[in-house]
Amino acid sequence: MHYVKVKTILSAKNGMKLYRGCSHGCIYCDSRSNCYNMQHKFEDIEIKENAIELLENALKSKRKKCMIGMGSMTDPYIPLESDIQNTRKSLELIYKYDCGATLITKSVNVLRDLDILKAINSKIKCVIQMTLTTADEKLCKIIEPNVSSTKERFETLKILNQNSIPTIVWLTPILPFINDTEENLIGILNYCIKAKVYGIICFSMGVTLREGNREYFYNRLDKFFPSIKEKYIKEYGNNYILNSPNNKYLMNLFYKICEQNHIICDNSKIFEYLNAFESKEIKEEQQLELF
């Protein structure tokens, strides 16, 4: 790991990246792509040493309260977070300055901060997003080797639900010729149903590859799935979007099961929900005014 000083921490859409790089080792990770101009090895994680100071200054000066997002490129709960605790410190500031929070993770370590997540959710809104790609535990350890297993993430989703914290699942990526099966899809959706997730984000049954992550992905395919790389090259060439040959059937099944179980699967509605600032205190005041 290494430290850098940065000039800003919040994006125009109120997202932030506390870390750059990752140690999860997911074979498909888009954050490895060259387009992100990472000037260091991916596993040499960059820590923004003045992130917390910048965040407090930004939240202090905000005229309009909002949802703050984390985890779009690097999991907020990579292992070094247990020592650095920038995610924890950020959540405490979000609570202090009456903003809402949402973050994307694959780690059970999110439960370390259950107290502050509940506190944020008690007065504004806190939504935890979790990625699920395969219901097969052995396969999970191959394609996502250094992170919580699917079953562990499922148990985490249940605990969050039991504590009234809404959850969203990212059902992506589904790797062609590897986990693009009806059995896998139903297994993941059963987890979502049992965990009572609010919604599921899924763009298609496939994966995206571009320069940087494509090379790493193909290297991992050669190691763990002999001959599959050749099928990818023959089927997709250098395409960015690689949809499964089973995409149409699996997406129809996905929508059907979500509808039957009252799980929101309209991506635009889910993103609208994630971005909507909802103060419970304001709602209570409005309700009192009615009486």
Side-chain angles (χ1 to χ4, degrees):
M1 68 180 185
H2 64 280
Y3 290 85
V4 297
K5 280 195 173 182
V6 293
K7 294 182 179 179
T8 60
I9 192 63
L10 282 185
S11 72
K13 294 184 177 181
N14 298 306
M16 64 178 172
K17 300 175 179 65
L18 297 170
Y19 307 111
R20 291 194 78 199
C22 188
S23 55
H24 285 345
C26 302
I27 70 172
Y28 51 76
C29 183
D30 177 70
S31 295
R32 291 181 181 272
S33 300
N34 294 348
C35 63
Y36 298 117
N37 298 313
M38 199 171 291
Q39 302 300 313
H40 55 87
K41 290 185 177 180
F42 193 67
E43 287 76 15
D44 177 19
I45 296 165
E46 182 178 283
I47 302 168
K48 299 176 182 179
E49 61 178 300
N50 57 335
I52 303 306
E53 177 187 353
L54 289 173
L55 179 61
E56 180 151 32
N57 290 337
L59 295 181
K60 268 184 189 176
S61 61
K62 271 199 174 295
R63 294 182 179 179
K64 189 175 181 181
K65 303 300 181 182
C66 62
M67 296 291 291
I68 306 296
M70 289 183 263
S72 62
M73 282 187 66
T74 298
D75 196 315
Y77 291 98
I78 50 179
L80 61 75
E81 162 62 19
S82 62
D83 296 321
I84 306 300
Q85 298 205 22
N86 273 355
T87 298
R88 171 79 189 190
K89 294 170 187 174
S90 297
L91 290 169
E92 289 172 345
L93 287 176
I94 289 169
Y95 175 75
K96 177 180 177 180
Y97 290 101
D98 297 324
C99 286
T102 183
L103 59 84
I104 307 171
T105 185
K106 295 177 184 174
S107 175
V108 301
N109 292 335
V110 66
L111 294 178
R112 178 203 68 180
D113 295 332
L114 185 58
D115 60 333
I116 190 66
L117 300 176
K118 289 170 64 177
I120 295 170
N121 197 54
S122 69
K123 62 176 180 176
I124 311 295
K125 184 173 70 178
C126 182
V127 187
I128 303 303
Q129 305 170 61
M130 191 156 293
T131 303
L132 300 180
T133 59
T134 176
D136 184 323
E137 293 293 288
K138 290 182 179 179
L139 180 59
C140 179
K141 282 305 176 184
I142 294 174
I143 67 176
E144 301 163 335
N146 306 321
V147 71
S148 304
S149 71
T150 301
K151 189 172 182 180
E152 289 171 333
R153 285 178 243 173
F154 161 61
E155 295 296 338
T156 299
L157 288 167
K158 285 202 302 182
I159 291 170
L160 291 167
N161 175 263
Q162 290 162 6
N163 284 274
S164 301
I165 296 173
T167 55
I168 300 292
V169 161
W170 285 74
L171 202 166
T172 183
I174 298 297
L175 306 176
F177 316 121
I178 295 174
N179 64 336
D180 57 337
T181 65
E182 180 176 340
E183 179 185 12
N184 183 53
L185 175 60
I186 291 175
I188 295 172
L189 292 179
N190 282 339
Y191 275 146
C192 293
I193 293 164
K194 291 175 183 176
K196 300 178 181 178
V197 303
Y198 177 87
I200 303 173
I201 294 170
C202 181
F203 297 97
S204 67
M205 300 294 164
V207 64
T208 59
L209 295 179
R210 46 189 161 189
E211 188 178 351
N213 81 314
R214 178 183 285 109
E215 292 78 2
Y216 185 83
F217 179 65
Y218 281 171
N219 177 274
R220 299 291 91 185
L221 290 187
D222 280 341
K223 182 175 181 179
F224 297 110
F225 307 97
S227 78
I228 292 291
K229 180 183 76 175
E230 286 68 30
K231 292 183 72 172
Y232 271 76
I233 294 171
K234 181 179 179 180
E235 181 79 18
Y236 305 110
N238 288 324
N239 290 353
Y240 170 55
I241 298 174
L242 288 64
N243 280 339
S244 163
N246 302 322
N247 180 58
K248 185 175 181 180
Y249 172 74
L250 292 175
M251 286 302 294
N252 286 336
L253 182 61
F254 165 69
Y255 291 131
K256 178 182 178 181
I257 294 175
C258 285
E259 184 178 350
Q260 289 174 341
N261 291 277
H262 310 291
I263 296 174
I264 296 175
C265 56
D266 182 324
N267 294 336
S268 61
K269 287 184 179 179
I270 295 174
F271 287 122
E272 183 179 343
Y273 169 72
L274 289 172
N275 292 323
F277 178 80
E278 300 173 7
S279 171
K280 293 180 172 64
E281 293 176 354
I282 292 174
K283 283 184 177 180
E284 288 175 2
E285 288 175 6
Q286 291 172 340
Q287 289 174 349
L288 288 172
E289 287 175 4
L290 292 174
F291 295 96

